[in-house]
Amino acid sequence: MILNFIIHYLVMKPAVNTNKTQTNWNKSSRNSFIILTIVLFISIFAHLYISNKMNANERKEIIRLPADCSSSVELLRDNHHKDLTRSLYIADATIESSKYNQLKERLLEMILANEKGGKIQNVSLLLINLNDASRMSINEGATYFPGSMIKVPIMICCLKEEQEHPGFLKSYLYFDKAPQYLPDQKYQGFSIKPGKKYSVEELLKYMIEDSDNNATYLLISNIQVKALYKIFTDLMIPDADKIETDTFRISVEEYSKFFRVLYNATYINKELSEFALSLLSKSKFREGLTKSIPTTVTVAHKFGEKGQYNILDFSESGIIYYKNSPYLLTIMTGGTNVPTQAEMINILSGEIFRYMSQN
């Protein structure tokens, strides 16, 4: 439309000039201007078209399962049957990839050596390549107390509330005093102070980056427990009604779902999922999953510890963004000494990182 207007204006309505030479010169100038204008617009349109095509290609990604993966795929969808759409949360290859066979043998040797030495009583592990969905697991059926790892679904619950009621993150909550009973935690960072107001966004940062139990307590006191339960039931994680009890346990497979829906941005929107993973990437705990990984590699992760009857469960889960080959790793351990268990996670994570970076 703009191009037609310029041509119409310049060609159909030439300027009046009594000087013939000047008129010829003006015609020549107009013709040159028209040609340049057409070339300019064609160049702009071509650039926009090519850019849009490139951007479209960048936004698209075709994922093909490796040849050694079963064609059987398990889909986890939104279970609200009244809706006309059913969101896809997770798509899983159901068979382990044989490309991890040697790695698995090596990891099993390391685990058995530590179990025989009495340092560790139980270890479970799940590795998922987020590019092609290939996987490898060890003792995946065992369950553990999640401890502070439960703070990730609490964060998702808060961000779901923000998505449905914008402005929730900016609302302020008053922290009167710490509750009388809070679980002990060996690894902890900064904590919120009594007598101050904090925005929900600030509380999430304390809860995730510093694993602050006071911030967690204040957030839980101001969200609907049913909304938290719903996250577990939506992701088909059993015993949601036991989350607040001392009996709730979870497996590596079940827990990994929280990180997977954040990475896929399929449970809350992309902006909020990005915010969640950004907080997780700033976790100050460096004694487990990330200890043997270069600090230049981004890792979004969360640890948890909880003991009962002289048995301590210490676990950690995270996404390791190694170059263009991100992978999800969840390791859960049972034992009697948290630093020893954290070191076990470090050893296994380091071995997996070396394998993933060389293959």
Side-chain angles (χ1 to χ4, degrees), residues 114 118-123 145-148 183-188 211 285-289 291 303-308 310-316 331-347:
N114 281 274
K119 296 181 178 180
I120 300 292
Q121 295 181 355
N122 200 28
V123 177
F145 297 115
S148 286
D184 293 330
Q185 188 170 276
K186 182 174 181 60
Y187 299 107
Q188 54 189 343
S211 199
F285 178 68
R286 295 282 307 177
E287 298 303 314
L289 208 65
K291 189 174 182 180
F303 76 96
E305 57 178 285
K306 182 177 174 62
Q308 192 177 64
N310 297 321
I311 299 297
L312 295 170
D313 286 349
F314 186 85
S315 308
E316 194 168 6
I331 304 175
M332 295 184 165
T333 71
T336 58
N337 184 274
V338 167
T340 299
Q341 291 164 253
E343 181 59 22
M344 180 81 261
I345 292 176
N346 164 47
I347 292 170

Side-chain angles (χ1 to χ4, degrees), residues 195-332:
K196 293 186 63 176
K197 286 184 177 181
Y198 296 89
S199 69
V200 172
E201 183 174 350
E202 289 174 319
L203 292 172
L204 288 175
K205 290 180 179 180
Y206 275 101
M207 181 177 71
I208 299 300
E209 295 179 15
D210 295 286
S211 199
D212 178 21
N213 286 334
N214 286 323
T216 306
Y217 163 78
L218 189 55
L219 286 170
I220 289 180
S221 301
N222 288 274
I223 61 175
Q224 295 184 357
V225 177
K226 288 183 179 179
L228 181 59
Y229 290 172
K230 186 177 183 299
I231 297 173
F232 286 76
T233 55
D234 282 347
L235 299 182
M236 297 184 67
I237 299 173
D239 299 326
D241 58 333
K242 297 179 181 178
I243 297 171
E244 294 183 295
T245 71
D246 288 333
T247 62
F248 179 74
R249 299 169 71 92
I250 195 168
S251 69
V252 289
E253 176 71 43
E254 292 161 350
Y255 187 82
S256 296
K257 291 178 179 180
F258 298 123
F259 273 84
R260 297 182 69 188
V261 295
L262 287 176
Y263 182 79
N264 294 336
T266 47
Y267 195 80
I268 52 177
N269 64 38
K270 188 179 189 309
E271 179 183 359
L272 293 174
S273 296
E274 187 77 22
F275 173 72
L277 289 169
S278 175
L279 290 184
L280 289 162
S281 70
K282 297 171 185 174
S283 171
K284 295 173 183 176
F285 178 68
R286 295 282 307 177
E287 298 303 314
L289 208 65
T290 64
K291 189 174 182 180
S292 294
I293 295 176
T295 56
T296 54
V297 176
T298 298
V299 182
H301 61 114
K302 186 70 190 79
F303 76 96
E305 57 178 285
K306 182 177 174 62
Q308 192 177 64
Y309 309 123
N310 297 321
I311 299 297
L312 295 170
D313 286 349
F314 186 85
S315 308
E316 194 168 6
S317 182
I319 298 173
I320 294 84
Y321 293 86
Y322 177 69
K323 294 185 177 179
N324 295 320
S325 300
Y327 61 93
L328 170 62
L329 179 59
T330 300
I331 304 175
M332 295 184 165

Side-chain angles (χ1 to χ4, degrees), residues 59-155:
R59 289 193 295 268
K60 296 176 182 176
E61 186 176 12
I62 299 174
I63 304 299
R64 294 182 175 87
L65 295 179
D68 60 352
C69 276
S70 166
S71 60
S72 176
V73 176
E74 184 177 271
L75 305 179
L76 176 57
R77 291 186 179 275
D78 182 354
N79 59 6
H80 296 154
H81 295 277
K82 293 183 179 180
D83 296 338
L84 296 179
T85 59
R86 297 190 66 190
S87 301
L88 176 62
Y89 295 146
I90 299 171
D92 259 334
T94 58
I95 302 297
E96 284 193 5
S97 173
S98 61
K99 69 181 180 180
Y100 299 124
N101 285 352
Q102 290 185 345
L103 172 63
K104 184 171 183 176
E105 289 179 7
R106 173 63 180 148
L107 296 176
L108 284 170
E109 290 175 359
M110 298 165 71
I111 291 171
L112 288 173
N114 281 274
E115 287 179 344
K116 287 181 179 179
K119 296 181 178 180
I120 300 292
Q121 295 181 355
N122 200 28
V123 177
S124 295
L125 181 151
L126 176 65
L127 167 68
I128 300 177
N129 185 318
L130 295 174
N131 275 349
D132 60 18
S134 59
R135 59 168 48 214
M136 180 267 290
S137 63
I138 295 174
N139 195 24
E140 69 276 11
T143 58
Y144 301 79
F145 297 115
S148 286
M149 294 176 80
I150 208 72
K151 292 169 182 174
V152 173
I154 292 173
M155 172 177 61

